[in-house]
Amino acid sequence: MVDKYNRKINYLRVSITDRCNLRCIYCMPAEGITCMRREEILRYEEIHRIIRISTELGIKKVRITGGEPLVRAGIVDFIASLQNIGNLEDISMTTNGILLEDFAEELYAAGMRRINISLDSLNAEKYTRITRLGDIKAVLRGIEKARQTGFSPIKINTVAIKGFNDDEILDFARLAFENPYQIRFIELMPMGDAGGGIDDRFLSNDFIKKQIETSGKLENVKKNKNGTDGPADVYRLAGGKGEIGFISAISHKFCSSCNRLRLTADGQLRTCLLSDEETDLKGPLRSGRDDAFLKETMIAAIAKKPRQHAITFKDTYRKKCVKEMSAIGG
Ligand code: SAM
Ligand code: SF4
């Protein structure tokens, strides 16, 4: 499906839970979190139905996210159940990796081949500080297990934070040089209540790229032609095994090529990560509406997909979106 700005919409990110086993400082507040009630969260069969209908509208790629997707019971069977949706070409997941060592083989057996793992520091003490709870050793074991199991590509998401991990940029670059991983630097976004605690921490990807270029030549990696590639600008350090990606949602908006929709854990269709406008799908799902109605509702939502998000560079110092990132899925 093509929207009114001629963007091909073929990618759906699905948050299956707003719960998480970590509390990253830029994503969730330290305390006072009100999790959605169980009955508010879409059941797996409801999510499956939305995904199936979305493929009839042209969705080809689905990414399962959260909160932390691996904390929801039944996740492996759910992933396996997606294999029977004919037009779906790609099913992947974004996880914090804490439980990945235990799940990697089962997820692979369920048909998943691609995985993104979030890791903002390579230093154990700093990792625990930013996640407020996490043990980096568990994540590193999870990444290694994913690699041994055969996941490819393995992408590592790193949110760049001024004064926190800007001294580790070259360490991350080295990780991508020595291993077949794609390290992706993500610009910090001001979301929900957590956004209030990260003032003045924004770091642009231009700064990071320049630093990496001091260590070697960055060669551009071409995107695929079918338009399902994500928004990262991807490079390879000459001679390296892996890649380095830059996702610059704030400093270099990529809204004009945005191909994505998001389904929140409570069944709302969100056409822009950085806009709080949502379309309710749970209501029609639970009141027995048929597929045709759901499809029409999705088409109407896509018709209102904003041309671009409203956040500018200086806005990053103020909270903009009301919903927490953990409830949307990133
Ligand atoms: N729990 C999983 C994880 O951490 O990978 C999946 C959900 S998490 C919300 C998805 C992605 O959003 C993660 O890579 C995380 O680093 C990123 N994220 C969360 N809050 C963010 C923020 N304020 N700015 C930029 N990225 C953020
Ligand atoms: Fe949890 Fe992921 Fe948010 Fe961290 S970024 S608190 S791991 S949902």
Side-chain angles (χ1 to χ4, degrees), residues 20-24 26-28 66-68 96 326:
C20 189
N21 46 0
L22 299 182
R23 291 283 179 278
C24 301
Y26 50 69
C27 180
M28 283 177 125
E68 173 48 39
N96 59 31
S326 53

Side-chain angles (χ1 to χ4, degrees), residues 105-126:
E105 285 176 354
E106 284 182 86
L107 290 171
Y108 195 86
M112 188 177 277
R113 296 290 177 268
R114 294 151 51 82
I115 199 142
N116 289 16
I117 301 143
S118 301
L119 180 63
D120 298 330
S121 176
L122 298 171
N123 170 292
E125 181 271 319
K126 274 162 76 176

Side-chain angles (χ1 to χ4, degrees), residues 285-300:
L285 264 175
R286 293 192 175 170
S287 60
R289 304 308 294 250
D290 62 8
D291 286 2
F293 183 87
L294 284 161
K295 208 189 270 186
E296 284 312 315
T297 307
M298 291 167 81
I299 291 171

